[in-house]
Amino acid sequence: LTATLDTPMLQPRPFGKYVLLDKLAAGGMAEVYRAIYRTEGDFEKPLVIKRILPQISREQDFVSRFRDEAKLSLGLGHANIVQVFDAGIVHGILYMELERIDGMDLSVLLQSMRDRQTPMSIEMAVYIMRAVLEGLNYAHTFAIDGRGQGIVHRDLSPSNVLISSA
């Protein structure tokens, strides 16, 4: 998922137990939305919904890949990997419920620094790369019942590196 859209929908849309607010990105297999989960008593939890594109939801290869990603992602628990809380199907569309990170992606940070003609400090670059590599190492060595899962991130790009504002 590489194209950041940041375009608000005309109106929030219900999607199962969630309300989709803005489309954040879309790729070849899925689209990502800023969303909320409303509980009884009007409590709201901000989150992100990643769902398979409707036009490929009947193609078994894509469905299998999406399901495999959800199954593996639900087991991961690392500070430098976005947490996946839930996965399921709404109206025939597979989805994953993900942690929402308040901040920006690395491509936005780098563009902002270019626009201001401000170089990134070596300390900041090393800090970001160390965090990325720690998350990748955790995923790559992740094991269930002593068996490595062979997880390889196939889309590591600045737009997929989230920088928290916290």
Side-chain angles (χ1 to χ4, degrees):
L1 301 170
T2 56
T4 302
L5 303 176
D6 293 327
T7 53
M9 290 189 257
L10 296 177
Q11 184 173 343
R13 300 194 317 236
F15 179 72
K17 60 186 177 181
Y18 309 103
V19 177
L20 305 179
L21 303 173
D22 306 286
K23 186 184 281 191
L24 298 173
M29 186 170 89
E31 54 195 357
V32 177
Y33 291 88
R34 190 171 61 87
I36 55 173
Y37 169 60
R38 280 202 184 110
T39 65
E40 297 225 5
D42 290 329
F43 294 104
E44 292 183 353
K45 177 181 179 179
L47 47 88
V48 169
I49 295 295
K50 178 178 182 177
R51 65 184 197 175
I52 195 166
L53 292 169
Q55 61 267 29
I56 64 169
S57 63
R58 296 193 194 283
E59 296 182 31
Q60 195 54 45
D61 180 50
F62 287 108
V63 169
S64 293
R65 288 177 27 204
F66 194 88
R67 284 182 188 274
D68 290 346
E69 178 184 345
K71 184 177 178 181
L72 282 172
S73 297
L74 280 163
L76 298 175
H78 190 276
N80 297 334
I81 298 175
V82 170
Q83 179 91 36
V84 176
F85 299 121
D86 193 16
I89 301 173
V90 172
H91 306 300
I93 299 174
L94 292 163
Y95 75 90
M96 286 183 260
E97 174 190 325
L98 295 89
E99 167 187 19
R100 186 154 101 201
I101 306 296
D102 288 324
M104 67 182 73
D105 69 51
L106 183 56
S107 68
V108 170
L109 176 63
L110 293 172
Q111 185 60 53
S112 172
M113 294 179 90
R114 274 191 295 272
D115 291 347
R116 289 182 285 133
Q117 298 181 350
T118 305
M120 180 179 287
S121 70
I122 291 172
E123 293 82 6
M124 180 184 274
V126 169
Y127 179 83
I128 292 170
M129 285 310 303
R130 180 180 177 156
V132 168
L133 292 172
E134 286 173 354
L136 288 171
N137 181 62
Y138 173 84
H140 186 70
T141 59
F142 180 71
I144 298 175
D145 297 329
R147 292 185 6 241
Q149 298 301 297
I151 298 174
V152 176
H153 195 299
R154 292 189 173 104
D155 190 17
L156 184 59
S157 63
S159 62
N160 285 335
V161 175
L162 301 177
I163 309 295
S164 171
S165 59

